[in-house]
Amino acid sequence: MPGKANLKFRRFCGIVILAVIVLTCFSIWLYFDAQYQQATRELNEYQTQKQERLEREQRFQKFQWEHRARVQNGPGTY
């Protein structure tokens, strides 16, 4: 009987060690997933701001072009 108790204890320790390894891997995965999500959010925000800046610049250039055309050609012409 003493050998059977030792076997149960070793099996229990093995299960605990395996559970610790699985939980550690899961924690590491969660950490890197959170880092990836944050980086993705920041990249999307940067791209959105860049696109908005480009659109503003294009509208301003169009305004400048129309204004120059009005000044050169007189009112009512573009």
Side-chain angles (χ1 to χ4, degrees), residues 3 8 12 14 20 23-26 32 34 38-39 41-42 46-47 51-52 58-59 63-64 68 73:
K8 285 184 177 182
F12 174 75
V20 167
L23 289 175
T24 303
C25 291
F26 184 66
F32 283 110
Q38 169 132 7
R41 260 193 312 277
E42 289 175 359
Y46 170 75
Q47 289 175 336
Q51 183 66 29
E52 290 171 351
Q58 288 174 344
R59 282 195 307 268
F63 169 77
Q64 282 183 320
R68 285 189 194 125
N73 300 329

Side-chain angles (χ1 to χ4, degrees), residues 23-40:
L23 289 175
T24 303
C25 291
F26 184 66
S27 297
I28 291 170
W29 179 79
L30 283 178
Y31 171 77
F32 283 110
D33 185 58
Q35 295 294 316
Y36 173 77
Q37 295 295 331
Q38 169 132 7
T40 303

Side-chain angles (χ1 to χ4, degrees), residues 1-17:
M1 285 302 201
K4 194 170 187 179
N6 190 21
L7 182 62
K8 285 184 177 182
F9 178 73
R10 288 181 67 185
R11 184 179 294 160
F12 174 75
C13 287
I15 291 171
V16 168
I17 290 171

Side-chain angles (χ1 to χ4, degrees), residues 41-53:
R41 260 193 312 277
E42 289 175 359
L43 178 63
N44 287 342
E45 184 178 322
Y46 170 75
Q47 289 175 336
T48 301
Q49 290 174 354
K50 187 177 177 182
Q51 183 66 29
E52 290 171 351
R53 210 170 25 252

